[in-house]
Amino acid sequence: MKVTIVGAGNVGATCADVISYRGIASEVVLLDIREGFAEGKALDIMQCATNTGFNTKVSGVTNDYSKTAGSDVVVITSGIPRKPGMTREELIGINAGIVKTVAENVLKHSPDTIIVVVSNPMDTMTYLALKSTGLPKNRIIGMGGALDSSRFRTYLSLALDKPANDISAMVIGGHGDTTMIPLTRLASYNGIPVSQFLSEDALQKVAADTMVGGATLTGLLGTSAWYAPGASVAFLVDSILNDQKKMIACSVFVEGEYGQNDICIGVPCIIGKNGVEEILDIKLNDQEKALFAKSADAVRQMNDALKSILA
């Protein structure tokens, strides 16, 4: 199995490292526009092989899409990262042209690939990739929900003082500081609702911390986070390549699901060898439905801004 990661920055390189270390793919290609940058990252990762025991072949190329031919999955991380005080939405004009060009180039050499979009604003960039390529909707996936859900589980773990891997929790809606929806009502610790352990105020604090999880790290680091995003992408790629059919919140194109149409937004999906194999219908309560509709409106406004830029 072959994976191409376009953009060898912090997120892309971390994704390549996790995929290699876990043996998710037999080959990983890192591609970047900076001369020698992807080659250097790939060589650095390969020099870990004898100490960590992986056998994945990792290579780097400078803007040569022919080396990506035959990729089963292509991950697009390229574009500028957030800086302190910058919203994901402010990146739209800069990253739109990059994502569109990358998607078109990878498909010339891997026409059957599944594309995973990481670039921000992620829901809008996922929508752009879908509309500009004309691919079936199951083959374009935005990974934001996987990352947001991981952050949600982490904050619940800290509040509960219990292992994050014993906690089940999901974030749906847009991948934005004001649009994501941590589903506190459905979160559980080994099958027991977390509301039995945490007060409503504590749960609301966890939800609030989750929503600004990315911005918090940007403020601390001076740039976007990369360890958790890279690992979240690898988690999603693993479910595709190994047909694991995991339920993962992903930004996908909806046609009537959750009362929405013609947008890409985070919803629970079954992810397998065909990409998005099913969108699951979680029964939301009235408050959650209202929040989801509000989130969808915000995402749709971003798409309208995109259309005006590309017009």
Side-chain angles (χ1 to χ4, degrees):
M1 293 291 189
K2 181 176 180 178
V3 176
T4 285
I5 301 168
V6 183
N10 289 332
V11 174
T14 300
C15 178
D17 186 49
V18 175
I19 288 173
S20 303
Y21 182 76
R22 293 184 54 202
I24 293 170
S26 56
E27 182 179 0
V28 175
V29 177
L30 273 169
L31 183 147
D32 204 279
I33 61 172
R34 289 168 285 186
E35 187 70 38
F37 190 70
E39 290 88 339
K41 289 289 185 78
L43 183 59
D44 195 14
I45 293 171
M46 282 293 287
Q47 289 172 358
C48 298
T50 56
N51 293 323
T52 57
F54 71 79
N55 296 303
T56 302
K57 176 186 176 184
V58 185
S59 60
V61 295
T62 301
N63 219 29
D64 182 1
Y65 283 88
S66 68
K67 302 296 184 183
T68 71
S71 294
D72 297 284
V73 176
V74 172
V75 178
I76 302 177
T77 74
S78 46
I80 68 165
R82 281 205 291 175
K83 294 179 174 59
M86 179 183 286
T87 65
R88 292 181 176 93
E89 290 76 16
E90 288 175 297
L91 302 177
I92 185 170
I94 301 168
N95 287 347
I98 297 172
V99 170
K100 184 175 184 292
T101 300
V102 168
E104 291 170 349
N105 281 330
V106 296
L107 286 172
K108 292 176 184 177
H109 302 281
S110 302
D112 299 319
T113 196
I114 293 170
I115 294 177
V116 175
V117 179
V118 183
S119 308
N120 277 315
M122 191 218 61
D123 300 294
T124 300
M125 293 300 102
T126 304
Y127 182 83
L128 170 64
L130 178 73
K131 292 298 184 177
S132 65
T133 62
L135 288 180
K137 63 181 183 179
N138 63 296
R139 288 172 54 196
I140 302 286
I141 307 171
M143 80 91 202
L147 172 60
D148 297 333
S149 298
S150 177
R151 287 173 171 160
F152 186 25
R153 291 171 66 189
T154 297
Y155 283 116
L156 284 169
S157 169
L158 294 172
L160 290 164
D161 193 25
K162 298 293 189 295
N165 286 328
D166 285 349
I167 297 168
S168 176
M170 181 178 295
V171 176
I172 61 172
H175 180 58
D177 300 346
T178 60
T179 56
M180 67 179 75
I181 306 163
L183 294 174
T184 54
R185 180 178 63 90
L186 301 178
S188 64
Y189 165 59
N190 278 336
I192 303 171
V194 296
S195 57
Q196 293 191 23
F197 305 97
L198 298 174
S199 67
E200 182 60 26
D201 285 347
L203 282 173
Q204 289 308 310
K205 184 180 186 307
V206 166
D209 288 344
T210 299
M211 293 177 72
V212 296
T216 298
L217 287 165
T218 300
L220 291 168
L221 298 169
T223 187
S224 295
W226 59 89
Y227 293 122
S232 297
V233 180
F235 177 75
L236 180 58
V237 170
D238 194 8
S239 194
I240 297 169
L241 292 184
N242 294 300
D243 195 25
Q244 293 173 339
K245 301 192 187 316
K246 289 179 178 175
M247 182 175 70
I248 306 173
C250 297
S251 182
V252 298
F253 189 72
V254 291
E255 295 178 294
E257 294 91 351
Y258 294 88
Q260 300 300 324
N261 284 282
D262 194 35
I263 58 170
C264 291
I265 192 169
V267 291
C269 302
I270 300 299
I271 302 296
K273 65 180 179 181
N274 298 309
V276 182
E277 304 207 340
E278 184 181 356
I279 295 175
L280 298 178
D281 181 16
I282 291 180
K283 301 304 179 184
L284 303 179
N285 62 27
D286 289 344
Q287 181 184 21
E288 291 158 350
K289 288 178 181 177
L291 288 171
F292 192 87
K294 182 179 179 181
S295 178
D297 286 343
V299 171
R300 192 170 284 108
Q301 288 177 15
M302 290 294 299
N303 293 348
D304 290 342
L306 170 72
K307 292 172 185 175
S308 67
I309 290 171
L310 298 178

